[in-house]
Amino acid sequence: MKVRTIVGRELKILWADGKGVSLVAIATAWGLLVGTRMIYPVIVPYLQTSYGLSLSVAGLLVTVLWLFGSIGQLPGGVLADRYSERTLLAISTVVVAAGVGLVVTAPTPLILFIATATWGVGHSLYPIARITYLSDLYSDHLGSALGLTMATGDIGQTILPPIAAALAVAVAWQVGLGFVLPFLVVAGVVIFFIVPGQSPTKRADDTRSVWDSLDVLGELRNPTMRGVAGVLFLYMFIWQSFTAFYPTYLTTVKGLSPSIASILFGVFFASGAVMKPMAGGAYDRIGMRWSLLGILVPPVAGFLLLPITSNFWLLVGITVLISTMLGSGAVTQSYLADSFTEEMKGTGLGAIRMTTATLAAGGPVIFGMIADYGYFDEGYVVLAVIMAITILITLRMPRS
């Protein structure tokens, strides 16, 4: 009853004063964006067949999506500090729709890579503007608001990949990916006309360049900030490596059908949809360190158990164990948003997310190379070791 009371109180706070409409619009679009992005791992086997790609090249294709989805986050953060976040959010969804349209019509591998890069750039404009808008809207409850928003991302990642897999089997992979296009366009239009615009808090005559804004990385002299950035980097490396090939691993190594593999992939994100609001709420109440420890320990066991079982129900349990790591983003990004000044919040978040995500984008191609050499199972043991290092970094953080 106590948990229900806390959850109910948090939801009332988030909905109060007309804020809930904006939260729903932003969260729904986020769910579409990240759900669409997670269709890519599901259709990787089809891309290999259609374009003659090896696992390594397919991993590089996923890396391009992550890479261009990260390098645009600093410019996106600078723009969020200077201009209306609402406009950036709307533009992001429309550009992603254009990129997806190019992917499904790409005649050659080169065009496929260019289209994927366009998709990534469009996606990169959304995350920072989303966080800065919500931090202004919910100054005392950012963890809960961000956790709930991120949870809708997991709902999208739970629902859209299985639909894509079914359409790819029944019709074609182009239909499996392309069916999201009208929803993305509608989401952009809804944000532009429904979400209230906010006045920029920065000076209109601010002439700092994107490169000048990298000075904000000097904040990493703070040991706690440095530790949080390190946790964010390692989490992104693990998450991108795992999600890029988990459906492929389940079909090629564990012998599951593509449809069952996509459902199990959805279980991963469905569990995350529960974990992220809980993690965000825990950050608001008990702080960063203990929240992260509870989130990061179970995946170590999950990664170690994954190579040694092929039983479906055990795989479901292992997938749920691994999924607890999805809550770390609600904690680390809430902390980072709270740590920067109002004038530099978007730039600071953009600089750190761009740096960590760009470095982490190499994960899928490295993991793909490991799999190409026949060491798929061993790759998950490596991920367990990296997660253990992440826990050690967390243990060195302040308790409060």
Side-chain angles (χ1 to χ4, degrees), residues 15-79:
W15 187 261
D17 302 322
K19 298 176 181 178
V21 175
S22 296
L23 179 61
V24 169
I26 292 170
T28 301
W30 180 245
L32 283 170
L33 287 171
V34 296
T36 300
R37 187 170 61 179
M38 277 305 144
I39 292 175
Y40 230 17
V42 171
I43 64 170
V44 160
Y46 299 97
L47 296 177
Q48 287 182 264
T49 301
S50 297
Y51 296 95
L53 308 179
S54 66
L55 277 173
S56 299
V57 176
L60 181 60
L61 187 63
V62 177
T63 289
V64 166
L65 180 60
W66 291 116
L67 179 62
F68 281 86
S70 62
I71 61 177
Q73 292 197 36
L74 174 56
V78 173
L79 292 171

Side-chain angles (χ1 to χ4, degrees), residues 238 296-297 299-305 378-391:
I238 294 169
L296 299 178
V297 170
V300 176
F303 285 133
L304 291 175
L305 290 171
E378 289 79 0
Y380 291 107
V381 176
V382 173
L383 294 185
V385 172
I386 297 173
M387 184 62 78
I389 294 172
T390 309
I391 293 170

Side-chain angles (χ1 to χ4, degrees), residues 7 46 85-86 162 204 226 284 298 313 331 344 369:
V7 171
Y46 299 97
E85 288 104 328
R86 177 189 64 181
R226 194 162 57 238
D284 287 336
W313 292 110
V331 176
M344 292 293 289
M369 292 173 65

Side-chain angles (χ1 to χ4, degrees), residues 55-205:
L55 277 173
S56 299
V57 176
L60 181 60
L61 187 63
V62 177
T63 289
V64 166
L65 180 60
W66 291 116
L67 179 62
F68 281 86
S70 62
I71 61 177
Q73 292 197 36
L74 174 56
V78 173
L79 292 171
D81 280 338
R82 299 180 184 180
Y83 304 107
S84 168
E85 288 104 328
R86 177 189 64 181
T87 303
L88 285 174
L89 296 172
I91 290 173
S92 172
T93 58
V94 174
V95 173
V96 168
V100 171
L102 288 172
V103 167
V104 299
T105 57
T108 65
L110 176 60
I111 302 300
L112 180 65
F113 273 87
I114 293 172
T116 302
T118 302
W119 177 357
V121 169
H123 190 99
S124 72
L125 298 176
Y126 203 95
I128 305 304
R130 169 198 53 144
I131 296 172
T132 58
Y133 189 95
L134 292 177
S135 69
D136 290 337
L137 204 60
Y138 300 102
S139 57
D140 296 325
H141 296 273
L142 177 60
S144 296
L146 189 56
L148 185 62
T149 305
M150 296 175 75
T152 62
D154 284 325
I155 293 172
Q157 293 173 122
T158 301
I159 296 173
L160 296 186
I163 294 175
L167 289 173
V169 170
V171 187
W173 71 263
Q174 291 89 343
V175 177
L177 177 58
F179 83 95
V180 298
L181 286 173
F183 298 106
L184 289 169
V185 174
V186 169
V189 172
V190 168
I191 286 176
F192 190 78
F193 288 103
I194 297 298
V195 174
Q198 290 181 290
S199 300
T201 58
K202 317 327 172 242
R203 298 187 305 274
D205 62 347

